[in-house]
Amino acid sequence: MAAIARPRDGRMIGGVCTALARRFGTSATTMRVIFVVSCLLPGPQFLLYLALWILLPSEKTAGTAW
């Protein structure tokens, strides 16, 4: 299983939805719609997004040495 990383391309805000979409094999648009709809329900969805934004590493590019 590959590690989840926020991509450098295709992000809108933090890249969390794009990273999750790649992990689960769906489109980024679908994941974003699911997130927006889930925000209408009670729960800590926004806090979870912020936590994933902080905790998920950014994807490394080929030219990056570190």
Side-chain angles (χ1 to χ4, degrees), residues 24-40:
F24 293 113
T26 184
S27 73
T29 304
T30 302
M31 194 59 68
R32 289 177 185 127
V33 168
I34 290 169
F35 174 72
V36 169
V37 170
S38 75
C39 283
L40 300 175

Side-chain angles (χ1 to χ4, degrees), residues 15-54:
V16 174
C17 288
T18 304
L20 293 174
R22 287 183 181 179
R23 168 63 181 91
F24 293 113
T26 184
S27 73
T29 304
T30 302
M31 194 59 68
R32 289 177 185 127
V33 168
I34 290 169
F35 174 72
V36 169
V37 170
S38 75
C39 283
L40 300 175
L41 302 171
Q45 293 87 341
F46 186 70
L47 294 176
L48 179 63
Y49 185 90
L50 290 177
L52 288 173
W53 190 355
I54 293 167

